[in-house]
């Protein structure tokens, strides 16, 4: 922390009370800037408070570290970006002062005033556009070193690893009409729409409504108060200030960023607006001339804002270059508050601005007649830019209006988007308000589906002299330190289209994203290539209109978590949780090996609720099964289940599971847990696109049933105690059959005789609401049988002992069904099924990998999964896909994919461990390391 | 830089698409094989498509030995590209981390590491503590929704200035006599008796015995002009960039589970990408949902950067093939070649693909490096899947 000191003396620039001032002089706030204590008023921006105390420099420029001050005095002011506490890149000409703020400049070392990096100015021309591409080439190995040096020049503030996430949220809104921009036309549009019965959201980027009226004269202020009072009193209008419409997406999905709300740093409002009115006004554009970035050179609207909104005197002696009324008004404002206006230069009467001179700040201005005027303030008013992002996002392309010397909307808007105010045209206040009202009314009628046609008065862009660059060269992009000379040089090199030029020079790519710079970039390029501005065209505005924090975009983090109904039991019985996709599941309850032994010797139960479960009904289910599975399904009896494997169209295994036939037209399919969603989509995709005539109704039952596998030699006895209405004896309920009955008094439970663990086992699907109850009954009623829970890890060990593969672990994105050892299952004589052509090819070629059981020679060495199987020359011959130590047979066991020629029982392969050791392992006859005949399973 | 020319009546080779693949192929034709009567035509500007819209990440930590060898060749070419082209493409091998949030992805990381090591490519699985050392902002605690349990660390991976690569090839090709024609849209491909004879453009007709389709986004539409059908579905892929902040993230970070990859440029901006949009489209518009999901996933990884702001978002187009691998080589139309179907990984493959395509054009023989990626494989059941690695991320 830098200790704060009180500034010894300050050149106070605070004016007396101004009619439209926003500051509350009764409320003093204190804050620090680079560790030095300052004071301001409530209502000040950071910059206005600092300027009132005589500060002029707020940042150093990106490349040349030139001192920068106020240019536009708006959110988009490129020289006024600071760090506030742990928040980087705060727009200090916009952000309201708060008591206790710790403000720091983001650039400049050791200080803003004496910046070592400013030495870059001495080598200035070397760092022109494209400099980096042409230097530091050789030796190549040194680039990372140069890079580290260049990175120090990175603009922007700091983030801190210790920063808290902060609080952000989101809101959905459904306004009939959303008005983007709260200037006079926007306010009038909101009123027009609300009066017509629409509910309206009015969004304004600044802290208060009014736009340019706020810094106008008495008449403007009277009009502003009337409009604002009317808006405030209208129940149909919700006003959002210090908020910005960041984008307009398809079907008027409008993103609004609200800033600095109580308790919420930022909020993203997502509004489905029936109609959108774009009233984004005009942005004053800078003039390109030598010295145009010196502190003391600013836009006419900046001078007017400082004087009228914040009562700050921006200089003592001024020259005003005024090509329009805004310049004249600025001159009048300055004169009124005691700034000595030495000269008002009007280009219409031949006046010319040549350059600004000064060391670190403006000292002199050179004019076209050769005269040099000593001054500390130069105000320019050379024209406007229409921020057309929102209309562009609605499909409109900007058109250059040569008479008005600016790009305007091209006129290709959908019915649901209208525009009003400065973006459309110029006029006196009454004209803007009339256009706004009519546009708002029309927007409401369209939103409410009324046919009434509204007569919208004409609003045309006013003629304006085309002033982009003086006869000297200056800064075009302030954020990126790009000079007009750089653009000319780049155009000569061949970067002569605006998109290429932008990428090569980075002009328009900084924090203000071209709002101040694009038109001058285009104009300079046009001049350099001898084309017109119209021919040159402009770049595409890309969203967002203003930067939006990651926090606001993310909102509250709402990642869903899925738990089975038995989770409370797991939690209270020492289960170690494991993340399995969306699910949290028990990995084990303390000792996975003991869980394995208990299943092999007694009986265990595992929660398998995440299993994919699809209820399939209809006369054509067997056709569907025949198509999505590689094996045959036409002859499955009611009451039987069958194992099936699904392949993608490339023949690669995508899922496996069992499906049972509950009734003639009713099947129940289980899938892997991880594949539940994908299989549902896969099945629906076939039904909806290729076989729409098949009558199959598919319903996901994942959350409808809790699923439990009861495994072990005593599983029949345990389940039998709870099932009164199904005969569980092996004679009447044999392996691979399904029954529906009552478990512990819960009717409608499905019971399958299948087993992933290799033991006698029953998989039961119980209505989810009774899952926990049935689980607890199994535990309590089976106490004397030694029942215990087992988790995923024990299941993995037992299925590996049994040699059952797991899709996605023992197979991968290229493992076709025959590679997975499924030759016995794949029925190539079926008419068609997903993946058949590929599998026919694989069958004919007989190549690819083969899944095999493997046992390392060292019985206690468990090779890490993914260890590679290599040939003596080091070529890859396969890999270990699963490996564990088997507590049942007391040795290490594996499944692995190996080249077909190695997939012969007895072959000894070499496994390369991740630590580099090579160890031998033997290919086994079966995948199963334990009970390959399946006598336990079928018992 | 490069010059503008009038269209000539004919060229030895016409390459459609002035992205990295087209420009680099032209350059290697001239530089390696002395074939310089080459025209590269593009309906827009140099590098205006995927080559200028990708997130400029390079790596060779693929899953199959063929994939590893191919991308490793590309990384090798990129490594010396600045010197070769005399243009600084700013390749920064900052290291590349692919995060694992569950057992199965950790197993895949181990698999990739082991395959990479056997191919001589530097990759290793590292622990959360080691991740934290490389990326101090990463939340590696286990109380997050998707805890980070490890990562595949690939030190040679990194980022490059994509525009510079495009311009560098264009510039170097131009110096060797290649002509680059921007704003020259191909409207038809002429064939006679099963062999290509030239292309029609909005600026006139061009004759050529060899026409090479190096487009992305519209690859199937361009090939259809020659009557060649490609098994490609086009999806948008979105990206975004933040305002700059001082350097805090050296490595490239990828999370397949959270569908996000992020790196910090020398300018201080974070560049983000995600998986392709789930729908097929030729539209290059960004969506709000993309930035929302992206931000929430980035903040899952690095919760302390919530105050950073997204400055700009955009989209590019990705041509996805059934086996997530590109299509390179000859077609049934003699003289009409393709280098297409690059999905989300075309930029990082540019130099190696171009070098091989140039060799194919010059010698008439398909180099071994790309033999597995021919168009005929789809009809003959020889898929060249890199799905395991390519679909995971960047």
């Amino acid at each position: 922390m830098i200790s704060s000191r009180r500034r010894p003396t300050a050149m106070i620039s605070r004016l007396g009370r101004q009619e439209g001032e926003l500051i509350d002089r009764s409320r003093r706030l204190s804050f620090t800037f680079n560790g030095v204590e300052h004071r301001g008023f409530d209502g000040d921006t950071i910059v206005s408070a600092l300027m009132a105390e005589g500060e002029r420099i707020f940042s150093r420029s990106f490349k040349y570290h030139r001192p920068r001050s106020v240019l536009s005095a708006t959110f988009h002011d490129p020289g006024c970006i600071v760090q506030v506490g742990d928040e980087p890149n705060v727009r200090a000409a916009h952000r309201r002062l708060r008591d206790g703020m710790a403000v720091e400049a983001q650039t400049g070392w050791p200080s803003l005033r004496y910046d070592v990096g400013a030495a870059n100015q001495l080598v200035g021309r070397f760092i022109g556009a494209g400099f980096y591409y042409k230097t530091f080439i050789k030796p190549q190995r040194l680039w990372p070193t140069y890079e580290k040096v260049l990175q120090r020049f990175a603009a922007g503030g700091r983030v801190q690893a210790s920063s808290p996430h902060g609080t952000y949220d989101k809101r959905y809104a459904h306004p009939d009409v959303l008005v983007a921009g709260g200037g006079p036309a926007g306010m009038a549009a909101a009123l027009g729409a609300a009066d017509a019965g629409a509910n309206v959201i009015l969004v304004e980027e600044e802290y208060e409504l009014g736009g340019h009226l706020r810094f106008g004269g008495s008449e403007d202020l009277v009009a502003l108060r009337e409009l604002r009072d009317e808006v405030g009193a209208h129940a149909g209008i919700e006003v959002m200030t210090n908020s910005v419409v960041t984008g307009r997406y398809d079907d008027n999905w409008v993103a609004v960023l609200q800033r600095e709300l109580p308790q919420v740093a930022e909020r993203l409002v997502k509004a489905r607006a029936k109609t959108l009115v774009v009233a984004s006004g005009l942005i004053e554009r800078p003039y390109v001339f030598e010295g145009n970035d010196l502190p003391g050179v600013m836009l006419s609207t900046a001078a007017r804002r400082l004087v009228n909104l914040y009562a700050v005197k921006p200089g003592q002696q001024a020259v005003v270059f005024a090509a329009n009324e805004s310049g004249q008004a600025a001159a009048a404002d300055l004169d009124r508050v005691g700034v000595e206006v030495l000269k008002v230069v009007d280009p219409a009467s031949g006046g010319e601005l040549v350059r600004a001179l000064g060391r670190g700040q403006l000292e002199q201005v050179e004019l076209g007649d050769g005269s040099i005027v000593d001054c500390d303030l130069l105000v320019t008013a050379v024209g406007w830019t229409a921020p057309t992002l929102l209309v562009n996002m609605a499909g409109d392309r900007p058109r250059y209006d040569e008479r008005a010397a600016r790009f305007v909307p091209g006129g290709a808007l959908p019915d649901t988007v209208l525009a009003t105010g400065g973006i459309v045209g110029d006029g006196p206040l009454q004209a803007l308000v009339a256009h706004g009202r009519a546009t708002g009314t029309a927007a409401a009628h369209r939103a409410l589906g009324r046919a009434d046609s509204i007569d919208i008065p004409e609003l045309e862009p006013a003629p304006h002299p085309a002033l982009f660059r003086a006869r000297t060269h200056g800064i075009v992009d302030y954020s990126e330190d790009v000079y007009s000379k750089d653009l000319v040089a780049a155009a000569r090199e061949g970067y002569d289209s605006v998109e290429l030029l932008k990428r090569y020079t980075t002009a328009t790519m900084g924090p203000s994203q071209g709002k101040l710079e694009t038109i001058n970039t285009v104009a300079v390029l046009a001049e350099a290539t001898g084309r017109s501005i119209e021919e040159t065209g402009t770049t595409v505005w890309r969203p967002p209109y203003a930067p939006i924090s990651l926090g606001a975009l993310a909102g509250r983090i709402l990642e869903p978590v899925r738990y089975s109904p038995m989770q409370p039991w797991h939690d209270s019985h020492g289960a170690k949780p494991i993340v399995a996709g969306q699910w949290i599941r028990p990995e084990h309850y303390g000792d996975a090996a003991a869980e394995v032994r208990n299943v092999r010797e007694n009986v265990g139960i595992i929660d398998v609720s995440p299993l994919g479960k699809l209820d399939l009904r209809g006369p054509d289910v067997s056709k569907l099964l025949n198509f999505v599975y590689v094996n045959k399904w036409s002859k499955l009896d009611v009451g039987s289940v069958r194992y099936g494997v699904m392949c993608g169209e490339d023949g690669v295994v995508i899922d496996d599971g069992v499906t049972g036939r509950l009734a003639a037209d009713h099947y129940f399919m289980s899938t892997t847990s991880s594949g539940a969603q994908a299989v549902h989509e896969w099945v629906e995709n076939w039904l909806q696109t290729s076989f729409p005539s098949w009558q199959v109704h598919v319903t996901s039952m994942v959350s409808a049933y809790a699923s439990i596998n009861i495994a072990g030699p005593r599983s029949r006895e345990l389940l039998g105690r709870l099932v009164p209405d199904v005969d569980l004896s092996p004679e009447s309920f044999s392996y691979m059959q399904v029954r529906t009955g009552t478990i512990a008094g819960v009717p409608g439970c499905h019971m399958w005789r299948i087993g992933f663990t290799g033991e006698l086992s029953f998989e039961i699907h119980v209505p989810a609401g009774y899952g926990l109850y049935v689980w607890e009954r199994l535990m309590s009623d089976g106490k004397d049988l030694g029942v215990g829970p087992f988790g995923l890890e024990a299941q993995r060990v037992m299925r590996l002992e049994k040699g059952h593969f797991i899709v996605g672990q023992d197979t991968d994105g290229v493992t076709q069904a025959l590679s997975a050892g499924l030759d016995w299952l794949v029925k190539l004589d079926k008419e068609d099924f997903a993946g058949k052509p590929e599998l026919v090819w694989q069958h004919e070629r007989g190549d690819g990998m083969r899944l095999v059981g493997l046992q390392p020679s060292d019985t206690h060495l468990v090779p890490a999964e993914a260890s590679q199987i290599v040939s003596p020359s080091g070529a890859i011959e396969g890999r270990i896909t699963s490996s564990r130590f088997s507590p049942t047979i007391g040795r290490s066991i594996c499944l692995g994919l190996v080249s077909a020629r190695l997939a012969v029982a007895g072959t000894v392969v070499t496994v390369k461990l991740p630590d580099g050791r090579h160890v031998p392992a033997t290919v086994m006859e079966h995948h199963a390391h334990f009970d390959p005949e399946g006598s336990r399973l079928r018992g | 830089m490069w010059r503008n020319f009038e269209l000539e009546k004919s060229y030895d080779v016409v390459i459609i698409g002035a992205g990295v693949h087209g420009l680099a192929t032209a350059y290697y034709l001239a530089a390696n094989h002395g074939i310089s009567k080459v025209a590269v035509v593009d309906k827009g500007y140099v590098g205006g498509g995927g080559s200028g819209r990708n997130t400029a990440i390079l790596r060779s930590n693929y899953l199959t030995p063929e994939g590893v060898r191919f991308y490793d060749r590309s990384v090798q070419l990129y490594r010396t590209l600045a010197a070769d082209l005399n243009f600084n493409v700013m390749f920064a091998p900052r290291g590349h981390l692919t995060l694992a949030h569950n057992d199965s992805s950790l197993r895949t990381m181990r698999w990739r590491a082991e395959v990479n090591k056997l191919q001589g490519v530097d990759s290793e699985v590292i622990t959360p503590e080691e991740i934290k050392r490389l990326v101090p902002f990463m939340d590696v605690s286990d109380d997050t929704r998707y805890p980070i349990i490890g990562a595949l660390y690939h030190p040679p991976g990194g980022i490059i200035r994509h525009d510079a690569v495009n311009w560098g090839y264009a510039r170097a090709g131009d110096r060797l006599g290649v002509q680059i024609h921007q704003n020259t849209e191909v409207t038809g491909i002429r064939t006679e008796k099963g062999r290509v004879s030239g292309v029609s453009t909005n600026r006139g007709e061009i004759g050529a015995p060899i026409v090479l389709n190096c487009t992305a986004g519209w690859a199937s539409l361009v090939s259809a002009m020659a009557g060649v059908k490609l098994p490609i579905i086009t999806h948008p892929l979105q990206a975004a960039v933040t305002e700059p902040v001082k350097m805090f993230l050296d490595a490239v970070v990828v999370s397949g589970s959270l569908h996000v990859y992020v790196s910090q440029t020398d300018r201080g901006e974070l560049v983000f990408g995600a998986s392709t949009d789930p729908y097929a489209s030729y539209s290059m518009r960004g969506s709000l949902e993309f930035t929302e999901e992206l931000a929430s996933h980035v903040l899952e990884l690095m919760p302390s950067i919530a105050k950073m702001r997204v400055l700009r978002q955009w989209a590019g187009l990705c041509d996805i093939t059934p086996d997530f691998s590109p299509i390179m080589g000859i077609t049934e139309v003699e003289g009409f070649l393709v280098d297409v179907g690059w999905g989300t990984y075309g930029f990082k493959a540019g130099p190696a693909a171009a070098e091989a395509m140039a060799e194919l054009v010059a010698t008439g023989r398909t180099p071994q490096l790309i033999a597995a990626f021919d168009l005929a494989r789809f009809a003959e059941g020889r898929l060249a899947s890199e799905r395991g690695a390519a679909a995971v991320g960047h």
Side-chain angles (χ1 to χ4, degrees), chain A residues 222-243:
Chain A
V222 170
L224 167 59
R225 268 190 291 276
E226 283 173 6
L227 279 167
R228 198 152 60 190
D229 289 350
E230 204 184 334
V231 167
H234 208 304
I237 304 175
E238 179 182 359
V239 177
M240 296 178 182
T241 52
N242 193 18
S243 300

Side-chain angles (χ1 to χ4, degrees), chain A residues 33 77 98 157 183 224 228 274-275 459 523 597 652 736 924 930:
Chain A
F33 181 52
D77 197 323
R98 303 273 177 240
L224 167 59
R228 198 152 60 190
K274 293 203 182 93
T275 52
L459 189 65
R597 280 191 297 273
V652 170
M736 295 306 269
M924 308 304 290
F930 173 66

Side-chain angles (χ1 to χ4, degrees), chain A residues 630-631 645-648 650-654 805 810-812 814-829 833-852 896-900 903 927:
Chain A
V630 297
N631 50 337
V645 166
M646 293 183 195
C647 289
D650 49 8
V652 170
V653 175
I654 56 172
F805 71 93
D810 300 298
T811 71
D812 56 55
V814 294
T815 310
Q816 295 182 316
L818 304 181
S819 293
L822 295 167
D823 311 58
W824 60 276
L825 191 72
V826 178
K827 300 299 177 206
L828 294 177
D829 58 338
F833 61 90
K836 180 180 168 184
E838 293 285 341
L839 292 175
V840 169
W841 281 319
Q842 200 200 0
H843 178 71
E844 286 166 0
R845 289 194 312 269
D847 63 356
M849 301 297 234
R850 285 287 181 278
L851 189 68
V852 295
L897 281 165
V898 299
S899 307
H927 290 186

Side-chain angles (χ1 to χ4, degrees), chain A residues 62 86-91 95 106-107 132-138 140 143-144 147-148 150-151 154-165 168 170 249-250 253 255 266 268 270 480 493-497 499-500 503-504 506 509-511 513 542-544 546-554 557 559-562 578-579 581-584 587 650 652 796 808-809 812-814 838 841 845 864-868 870 874 876 879 881 912-914, chain B residues 1-2 4 45-48 52-53 64-65 78-83 86-94 101-104 107 110-111 114-115 117-119 124 136-137 144-147 159 161 163-164 167 171 182 242-248 250 258 265-270 272 285-289 291-293 295-300 303-315 322-323 377-388:
Chain A
F62 171 49
D86 67 354
E87 183 180 358
N89 302 326
V90 172
R91 304 316 203 262
R95 180 68 65 86
Q106 298 188 150
T107 42
Y132 300 110
Y133 301 121
K134 295 174 206 156
T135 40
F136 306 128
I137 296 170
K138 287 170 187 170
Q140 177 83 27
W143 166 246
E147 192 194 9
K148 288 275 180 292
L150 293 176
Q151 283 170 356
R158 295 181 320 273
V159 287
Q160 293 163 11
S162 57
S163 291
H165 182 290
Y168 301 86
K170 293 187 188 180
Y249 300 86
D250 285 355
W253 187 232
E266 287 184 349
L268 179 63
K270 297 189 278 183
E480 297 288 316
E493 282 192 54
Y495 300 95
D496 53 1
S497 79
E499 292 288 351
L500 281 175
R503 284 167 174 77
Y504 187 61
T506 71
M509 297 188 72
Q513 288 286 290
R542 281 168 168 168
I548 173 165
S549 70
L550 292 172
L553 284 168
I557 302 286
E559 281 285 329
V561 180
R562 300 182 77 175
I578 185 170
V579 179
Q582 289 191 324
W583 296 85
I584 307 290
E587 184 174 16
D650 49 8
V652 170
R796 286 181 190 144
Q809 172 164 349
D812 56 55
V814 294
E838 293 285 341
W841 281 319
R845 289 194 312 269
E865 288 168 353
S867 293
Q868 299 295 300
V870 295
I876 295 171
R879 71 176 194 283
T881 58
K912 177 179 173 287
L913 304 179
Chain B
M1 221 27 221
W2 58 85
N4 292 321
Y45 54 94
V46 163
R53 293 166 184 272
T64 62
Y78 269 129
R79 213 174 276 150
T80 59
L81 199 58
N86 191 31
F87 199 69
N88 191 354
V89 293
M90 302 180 199
F91 176 36
R94 306 248 208 100
H101 300 268
N102 55 51
D103 282 6
S104 76
R107 197 180 306 115
R110 170 70 66 199
W111 177 14
E114 294 307 309
V115 171
K117 283 189 277 184
L118 282 164
Q119 303 299 320
E124 191 50 273
F137 276 63
T144 59
R145 176 63 186 85
Y146 297 105
I159 54 173
R161 178 88 178 92
D163 289 332
W167 302 332
R171 207 169 93 117
Q182 302 180 90
T242 67
E243 293 178 349
V245 295
K246 301 283 184 277
M247 285 305 292
F248 73 95
D250 198 43
L258 294 175
T265 68
D266 292 335
R267 290 160 52 82
E269 304 150 329
L270 291 187
F272 302 121
R285 283 174 300 182
S287 70
L288 180 61
E289 290 66 29
T291 52
E292 293 181 84
E293 190 165 313
S296 72
H297 288 160
V298 167
L299 293 182
E300 280 274 287
S304 54
I305 62 167
K307 293 187 174 85
M308 288 189 73
R309 299 185 189 89
V310 169
L311 190 57
R312 185 167 70 240
Q313 67 173 121
W314 67 94
D323 61 0
R377 74 178 186 275
F378 298 104
E380 293 167 8
R382 294 178 283 108
L383 298 192
S385 192
E386 257 294 341
R387 181 188 295 172

Side-chain angles (χ1 to χ4, degrees), chain A residues 418-443:
Chain A
L418 300 93
T420 186
I423 189 173
V424 174
D426 305 300
L429 178 60
Q430 299 84 331
L432 293 173
V433 168
H435 190 270
R437 266 202 195 263
T439 303
T441 309

